[in-house]
Amino acid sequence: SPLYSGRINVALLGEEPGFWGSSTYYGGKDIVAVGGGYQYQKHGSGVIDPASLNGDTNLNIVMGDLLAEKNLPGVGTFSLEGTYYHFDKGEPAKQAFYVLASFLSADYLGVGKLQPLVRWQQTSPQSGGAKMTMLDACVTYLIHPYDLKLVAGYQRTDVGNSAVGNAIQIGF
């Protein structure tokens, strides 16, 4: 069955060009944008036991998001981003969300700028069980917006049932 997907995005402050917005403008503009979306697919649920849904195996996902970014000249750029997802009963998760906060320095340190960020993600299962959480803390050295950055970070994942993971991430 085809997957139907729709999205509405409204920029309350500033503007976002084109259909796809960015998750950051790296201090290039002030923006406050909210969006919402919906996806539907008949018999699109990935549930292992369709009988447990009494014949309702349709995929239904509702989502909403926010992006706010403020550039303070001489200080830097503050960003706040969040997304919420609500899944129908045929999916393993009932709801999920994340919140991200970051700060981009105004001044260059060598050829780039520093951008520390923190992100919290959480997923709740459909029926019982433990919530799954993930915490990311990173420092980015931004050399060229959108094209070149170095990242060092720490990630702590808790998938419940005493299953906890820790990771160090380094990338470019």
Side-chain angles (χ1 to χ4, degrees), residues 6-94:
R7 176 171 172 76
I8 295 174
N9 193 61
V10 177
L12 304 172
L13 173 67
E15 61 183 33
E16 290 191 289
F19 180 73
W20 299 104
S22 175
S23 63
T24 182
Y25 289 97
Y26 297 109
K29 63 171 71 180
D30 294 337
I31 186 88
V32 175
V34 293
Y38 178 73
Q39 290 186 334
Y40 172 81
Q41 185 176 30
K42 186 174 183 176
H43 305 301
S45 175
V47 69
I48 295 171
D49 181 15
S52 68
L53 297 178
N54 297 321
D56 183 8
T57 59
N58 299 332
L59 172 73
N60 289 290
I61 303 173
V62 177
M63 59 203 86
D65 55 73
L66 166 80
L67 170 64
E69 197 160 274
K70 178 66 177 163
N71 183 12
L72 299 173
V75 176
T77 302
F78 294 90
S79 298
L80 179 64
E81 184 178 344
T83 299
Y84 173 80
Y85 300 91
H86 181 80
F87 302 93
D88 203 5
K89 59 188 173 187
E91 300 305 308
K94 181 177 185 174

Side-chain angles (χ1 to χ4, degrees), residues 77-166:
T77 302
F78 294 90
S79 298
L80 179 64
E81 184 178 344
T83 299
Y84 173 80
Y85 300 91
H86 181 80
F87 302 93
D88 203 5
K89 59 188 173 187
E91 300 305 308
K94 181 177 185 174
Q95 59 187 4
F97 72 90
Y98 82 84
V99 177
L100 179 146
S102 69
F103 171 76
L104 176 63
S105 65
D107 297 324
Y108 281 88
L109 179 64
V111 295
K113 297 180 179 183
L114 289 178
Q115 184 180 40
L117 74 81
V118 175
R119 177 176 49 210
W120 175 261
Q121 300 176 73
Q122 182 172 307
T123 301
S124 301
Q126 282 289 345
S127 56
K131 293 179 181 177
M132 295 177 277
T133 60
M134 185 181 298
L135 172 68
D136 295 299
C138 299
V139 176
T140 300
Y141 185 62
L142 183 66
I143 298 168
H144 190 273
Y146 308 105
D147 297 325
L148 183 57
K149 59 186 173 181
L150 306 174
V151 181
Y154 166 75
Q155 183 179 78
R156 179 174 175 81
T157 305
D158 184 347
V159 295
N161 303 325
S162 301
V164 176
N166 295 290

